[in-house]
Amino acid sequence: MSDMEERNETAVSVFILLGFSSLGLKLKIFLFLILLLTYLITVTGNVVIIFIVCVDRRLHSPMYFFIANLSFLEIWFTSVTSPRLMLDFLSVSRTISFHGCMAQTFFYFALGITEFCLLVIMSFDRYVAICHPLQYTTIMNQRLCIQLVLGSWVGSFTVISLRMLLISKLRFCGPNVINHFFCDNSPLFQLSCTDTSGVKRVDSILISTLVLTSLCLTMLSYMSIFFSILQMPTATGRQKAFGTCGSHLTSLAIGYGSCIVLYVRPSGSASSDVNKGVALLNNVLYPFLNPFIYSLRNKTVKLALRETFSRSTVMLFPNLRHASG
């Protein structure tokens, strides 16, 4: 009898993602093309960063090691939701299997928390470089850098695995329509036919604590950097440092701001349409901006890219060098 009840409780094997199904066909096609272009630029930009950091010895430093790891993470983070969203713009059937939905929510949160950990590490790296330049190479040694990155990945995936154990206790027996473009936590909780109050409370405390703690640690480093910049003797140095920090803070505002609206605010304080709009910022715009903010605007990276491109061109087309000579 209990086996029959269990089967009845887990009757839902497929979810339907509503996404942006209410939009007109022309608008859907337009948004599909925009998302496709954004996704391709995001992935290409991050692959280029990883490649150039690996091949250019000038970029073999802690800062670029962390940036390459962030780029690797961004490729996977945006790939968790963007391809599925693009497919749903063109598809009549917007179904996702139960296990596919669970996998999507796991990787979305695991990669998201890993990214916040990496941002804390990157802000600490910049703090040491600017506030303690003489001790930088001693503090940020290769062993510590690898340990920090591994700790971020392993720690985040472990914590979210424990979170998934809580979510696995939920039962879904209908309805199966998720009013979102991916398997986010709130729409899933709303569809469960078991009492979700305890799981929702624990989930909210866990995600809020992780997001706000990483934000506080990151801002602590940037505040220390800010006061250190004010003490710089030259106006040019101050202007350059403020410009770099300003672009970083813009990126952080989008990333942390969207997560605070989605996961730290009181439950039910925003409509599903607002949530979908903010989630788009977090899933699409934020990964798109990061390659430009953290790397592609950097003079050293641009020089390395130019030289690598020139060498590649000469290797592929050796006659061009003779012709130009």
Side-chain angles (χ1 to χ4, degrees), residues 84 150 170 273 304:
R84 174 79 221 191
L150 279 177
L170 300 178
D273 289 336

Side-chain angles (χ1 to χ4, degrees), residues 116-190:
F116 285 143
C117 292
L118 284 175
L119 291 174
V120 172
I121 294 167
M122 289 169 67
S123 66
F124 175 71
D125 172 71
R126 292 298 83 207
Y127 160 73
V128 177
I130 293 172
C131 301
H132 303 282
L134 299 179
Q135 291 85 36
Y136 180 71
T137 52
T138 307
I139 297 171
M140 301 304 295
N141 56 71
Q142 187 180 31
R143 183 181 177 183
L144 178 65
C145 292
I146 293 171
Q147 287 175 340
L148 287 171
V149 168
L150 279 177
S152 297
W153 282 89
V154 174
S156 299
F157 272 72
T158 302
V159 169
I160 299 303
S161 295
L162 296 174
R163 173 185 179 268
M164 288 306 294
L165 287 177
L166 287 174
I167 292 176
S168 67
K169 297 182 185 297
L170 300 178
R171 296 288 174 260
F172 299 90
C173 37
N176 66 337
V177 179
I178 296 176
N179 189 14
H180 214 310
F181 61 84
F182 75 103
C183 295
D184 205 358
N185 58 355
S186 295
L188 278 176
F189 292 151
Q190 290 171 9

Side-chain angles (χ1 to χ4, degrees), residues 20-322:
F20 300 93
S21 56
S22 60
L23 300 177
L25 180 60
K26 289 183 179 179
L27 185 54
K28 282 183 182 178
I29 294 171
F30 174 74
L31 289 174
F32 167 79
L33 294 173
I34 293 293
L35 283 171
L36 178 62
L37 182 63
T38 303
Y39 179 71
L40 291 175
I41 291 172
T42 302
V43 172
T44 304
N46 283 305
V47 168
V48 166
I49 290 165
I50 295 168
F51 172 75
I52 204 70
V53 169
C54 289
V55 300
D56 197 296
R57 294 188 62 84
R58 286 170 298 185
L59 304 181
H60 291 180
S61 67
M63 181 177 77
Y64 295 108
F65 173 68
F66 297 137
I67 286 173
N69 272 278
L70 182 67
S71 294
F72 177 75
L73 184 144
E74 291 286 18
I75 292 169
W76 292 107
F77 180 73
T78 193
S79 297
V80 169
T81 56
S82 290
R84 174 79 221 191
L85 175 59
M86 288 186 286
L87 184 66
D88 287 345
F89 273 123
L90 302 180
S91 174
V92 177
S93 173
R94 295 178 298 278
T95 58
I96 184 170
S97 69
F98 176 84
H99 295 295
C101 190
M102 291 301 107
Q104 190 183 55
T105 192
F106 170 73
F107 284 108
Y108 171 78
F109 283 100
L111 291 168
I113 296 303
T114 305
E115 177 159 357
F116 285 143
C117 292
L118 284 175
L119 291 174
V120 172
I121 294 167
M122 289 169 67
S123 66
F124 175 71
D125 172 71
R126 292 298 83 207
Y127 160 73
V128 177
I130 293 172
C131 301
H132 303 282
L134 299 179
Q135 291 85 36
Y136 180 71
T137 52
T138 307
I139 297 171
M140 301 304 295
N141 56 71
Q142 187 180 31
R143 183 181 177 183
L144 178 65
C145 292
I146 293 171
Q147 287 175 340
L148 287 171
V149 168
L150 279 177
S152 297
W153 282 89
V154 174
S156 299
F157 272 72
T158 302
V159 169
I160 299 303
S161 295
L162 296 174
R163 173 185 179 268
M164 288 306 294
L165 287 177
L166 287 174
I167 292 176
S168 67
K169 297 182 185 297
L170 300 178
R171 296 288 174 260
F172 299 90
C173 37
N176 66 337
V177 179
I178 296 176
N179 189 14
H180 214 310
F181 61 84
F182 75 103
C183 295
D184 205 358
N185 58 355
S186 295
L188 278 176
F189 292 151
Q190 290 171 9
L191 294 182
S192 177
C193 52
T194 51
D195 181 22
T196 60
S197 56
V199 177
K200 282 168 69 175
R201 194 178 303 112
V202 172
D203 183 69
S204 178
I205 292 170
L206 176 66
I207 301 299
S208 298
T209 301
L210 291 170
V211 171
L212 294 177
T213 301
S214 66
L215 175 61
C216 290
L217 291 172
T218 302
M219 293 313 297
L220 188 64
S221 292
Y222 275 105
M223 287 298 292
S224 301
I225 291 169
F226 175 78
F227 288 117
S228 182
I229 290 171
L230 290 176
Q231 296 172 6
M232 285 183 176
T234 61
T236 307
R238 286 196 299 271
Q239 189 175 358
K240 182 181 176 182
F242 275 128
T244 302
C245 289
S247 61
H248 289 189
L249 290 173
T250 302
S251 174
L252 292 173
I254 296 171
Y256 278 105
S258 59
C259 282
I260 288 170
V261 169
L262 290 170
Y263 306 112
V264 181
R265 58 165 173 73
S267 179
S269 63
S271 69
S272 57
D273 289 336
V274 170
N275 283 349
K276 283 188 273 189
V278 175
L280 270 180
L281 293 177
N282 191 42
N283 287 268
V284 179
L285 182 63
Y286 181 64
F288 172 76
L289 291 176
N290 273 356
F292 299 97
I293 287 174
Y294 286 104
S295 304
L296 298 178
R297 291 172 65 251
N298 185 289
K299 287 183 180 179
T300 310
V301 173
K302 285 194 284 190
L303 180 62
L305 278 171
R306 198 177 301 120
E307 290 180 0
T308 303
F309 179 74
S310 299
R311 285 197 300 269
S312 301
T313 305
V314 169
M315 288 175 65
L316 290 170
F317 308 102
N319 293 331
L320 285 178
R321 182 168 57 180
H322 299 300

